[in-house]
Amino acid sequence: MLRLEAVDAFYGDVQALFGISLEVPAGGIFALVGANAAGKTTTLRVVSGLVAPRHGRVVFDGRDLARVPAAQRVELGIVQVPEGRRLFPFMTVTENLLLGAHAVRARAERDATLRYVYRLFPVLEERAAQLAGSLSGGEQQMCAIGRALMARPRLLMLDEPTLGLAPVLVGRIFETVRTINADGVTVLLVEQNVRQALTLATHACVLESGKLVLEGAGRALLVDERLKRAYLGL
Amino acid sequence: MDPAARLGPAQIDVVAQLAVSTLLLGGIYALIAVGLTLIFGIMRVVNFAHGEFLMLGMYLAFFAFTLRGVDPYLVLIIAIPIFYLVGLFVYVLVMRGVIHASHNVQIFTTVGLSTALQNIALVMWTGDFRIIRPWESSVVLRAAGTAFNLAQVVAFAVAVALTVALMAFMKWTHTGRVMRATAQDRDAATLMGIDTDRVYRLTFAIGIACVGAAGVLVSPLYAAYPQAGLQFVTLAYVVVVLGGLGDMAGAMLGSLIVAAVEVGGSYIFGAAWKEVFYFLLFIGVLVFRPAGLLGQRGAETLGA
């Protein structure tokens, strides 16, 4: 579904990605793991169009995205939940969710999707009229995922969705990711909860200093000796 | 003869008259300031050329009246779409290039635009004061011990209606939500599929349409000349800072306060002193409440 071919990306003069090539097959959960500053977020930003790759190609459904601006990629079904939720803090939960359905494709089915999101996260319906900035961390993450779902994603990219959440909520978020995937959305997940991410993922790869160092099925990586040493502390 | 002089002092209730004058003046100031605060709130650009679009609105009304005999209130109907298009044009030509630049670059750009527009007006239409006297300028209305001009009342009513309509648009329409979302987090808005360049274009066009409409509305009351915008726009900055940058309800409140200071100060100390008072007020706000009266959330966001 999504293919990165030898992507180099820079922030100014600093190179963040070195020749990243990977393939996210349709229908699965693809986990991108690695230490801080390994290039996981940059990879997502290259796919969503917030960062333009200097070399290499990003191909979605056989289409080269080089000339597709970021806002237009949502129309194709590529939707990113950014790190730190990035909700519109002075707008209500409902307003945030409705803004998710800005894409033409999503707007037609807005009311039905809103019901789906409320079913997935009943707490959002209880907090509907509350300002998004006043929600708890877990609720904000649910709102951010809900807002992204409102765009009817085909590829949902989640950047550190469990960062800073209590363990009980972490499990709840992973459970939701599984549900969303079961409903037909391909998921690209960036996580630092390596063990849980790999347990959940059908495919995974490990980034280190902007380079791809390991790739394989999620559970296979979980028992990989190198990964165990580096990330699981075993 | 001054219409007020015929009334004699006994028929005027001073306090009521000052209150009515404040209200009428405040409504017009609000329409000027609301466009400025909208552009600042969403684009983070202080439009120093705002007053020049007001001046162009005044000239439009002047020429329509003197050359074609068209009443300013009819001109208003076409002025709003005309200035909307002017706003789009100026955004694409000038503002788009500096929207992501530093504040210094933006300030130089809009100040330069202001100077350019003033001088174009000076070359094309000379520096003469241009005054029109449509019929509504000489109709005096009286109520409850006060006397006021019909042109002031219409300007006030239209200004308030446009300002309230704009606030409702921002609060309840999808496009309004999109504009506020872009103001609050541009990258997150992009990730929702929002074309932020289109949002900025629309914002600038609406802001300019508001101030152009204000120019037409004040044309029966004030003379048009190339620097005519300055007298209004300096007080519009006071209004915007007073209300909290980017806050439209704050801009309405700020307009009333500035108008009250101007009207009260003029009555007690003479009209020549009015600028002293609202700049004292301005300094006071900057010292004691820099985020503005309603700006308790900080100046970086447009009201919820």
Side-chain angles (χ1 to χ4, degrees), chain A residues 71 74 86 88-90 95 102, chain B residues 174 180 184-185 191 193 301 304:
Chain A
V74 178
R86 300 291 286 271
F88 305 116
F90 302 113
E95 285 181 312
H102 178 73
Chain B
H174 180 72
R180 282 185 288 144
Q184 289 176 21
D185 193 329
L191 290 177
T301 55

Side-chain angles (χ1 to χ4, degrees), chain A residues 58-229:
Chain A
V58 181
V59 180
F60 184 70
D61 277 344
R63 181 172 173 187
D64 188 344
L65 295 184
R67 291 183 183 285
V68 184
Q72 209 48 44
R73 295 185 192 193
V74 178
E75 212 64 72
L76 299 176
I78 302 174
V79 182
Q80 180 186 350
V81 180
E83 184 178 347
R85 355 286 189 213
R86 300 291 286 271
L87 294 171
F88 305 116
F90 302 113
M91 299 173 86
T92 64
V93 169
T94 312
E95 285 181 312
N96 268 276
L97 293 176
L98 293 178
L99 277 162
H102 178 73
V104 178
R105 204 170 46 87
R107 219 175 302 177
E109 303 166 73
R110 197 173 77 175
D111 296 345
T113 322
L114 189 63
R115 281 196 297 277
Y116 169 77
V117 169
Y118 281 156
R119 230 181 11 255
L120 206 57
F121 303 113
V123 68
L124 294 183
E125 191 162 16
E126 290 164 28
R127 304 261 187 269
Q130 210 169 308
L131 292 186
S134 71
L135 298 176
S136 73
E139 289 163 350
Q140 287 195 12
Q141 190 58 55
M142 293 177 201
C143 189
I145 295 174
R147 184 179 64 174
L149 289 174
M150 291 298 293
R152 302 301 297 238
R154 295 178 51 233
L155 173 68
L156 180 67
M157 300 192 289
L158 299 161
D159 194 352
E160 306 276 13
T162 64
L163 193 67
L165 298 188
V168 53
L169 283 167
V170 172
R172 170 96 173 74
I173 296 288
F174 276 109
E175 203 45 55
T176 309
V177 171
R178 197 194 301 275
T179 309
I180 292 167
N181 177 248
D183 288 337
V185 179
T186 306
V187 175
L188 176 52
L189 176 67
V190 163
E191 256 299 335
Q192 41 162 245
N193 258 313
V194 175
R195 192 193 303 267
Q196 272 171 293
L198 294 182
T199 310
L200 183 69
T202 47
H203 310 271
C205 71
V206 181
L207 289 180
E208 220 173 82
S209 312
K211 299 187 183 82
L212 202 152
V213 292
L214 268 179
E215 199 180 354
R219 284 174 189 279
L221 288 191
L222 206 50
V223 295
D224 186 283
E225 287 304 321
R226 284 167 294 172
L227 186 101
K228 272 187 179 173
R229 267 198 308 278

